[in-house]
Amino acid sequence: MERFKRHAVICFAIFLFFAIVGIFSPSVHIGFFGYIALLFFGTFFTTIGVAAGDAFRRFVKPDAIFTSGAFKTFKAKIFWMIGSQCIGWLIGFMATQGFMKNVFGYYQII
C-alpha cells in the first residue's frame, strides 16, 4: 500500500506540472475543468500503470545480473530499478490521452 501511495504522489506531481505548463501555454486551451480532468484522470491512469509495472518488475526481476562490463551492469540495474514502472507510466499516459480525447473531446492536451 505504501508503494501505491508513493506512485500516486509521483504521478500527481507530474500531472500537476503538465497542468501548470498547459495553463501557461499559448497553444493549449482546454478550460478549467479540462485541466482538472487531466490532473485527476492522468493521475489515476498513470498510477494504475506504474503499479502494474512495479508488480510485473517484482514478479520477473532476476536474482542475479551477469554482464560483461560496468556500463552494461549499470544499464541493467537502472532498467530493473525503474524500467517497467516507466513503461507502465507511458501506457497510463496513452490511456489518459485516449480517454481525454474520446470521452471529453480534448484533442490537444500536452
Side-chain angles (χ1 to χ4, degrees), residues 1-56:
M1 194 64 174
E2 285 296 319
R3 284 185 179 155
F4 189 78
K5 289 178 187 177
R6 187 178 328 137
H7 296 318
V9 168
I10 292 170
C11 292
F12 178 80
I14 291 171
F15 270 93
L16 182 63
F17 174 76
F18 284 165
I20 290 171
V21 167
I23 288 170
F24 294 109
S25 172
S27 63
V28 178
H29 304 288
I30 61 174
F32 175 75
F33 290 111
Y35 291 115
I36 296 297
L38 175 67
L39 186 62
F40 177 74
F41 290 112
T43 301
F44 176 73
F45 285 122
T46 56
T47 302
I48 298 299
V50 169
D54 186 48
F56 179 76

Side-chain angles (χ1 to χ4, degrees), residues 78-110:
I78 293 297
F79 175 76
W80 286 110
M81 189 183 313
I82 62 169
S84 58
Q85 291 96 327
C86 290
I87 293 168
W89 188 90
L90 183 63
I91 292 170
F93 180 74
M94 290 188 295
T96 301
Q97 294 287 75
F99 184 80
M100 295 292 285
K101 179 181 174 185
N102 294 326
V103 174
F104 294 119
Y106 297 127
Y107 287 95
Q108 184 182 6
I109 296 173
I110 298 174

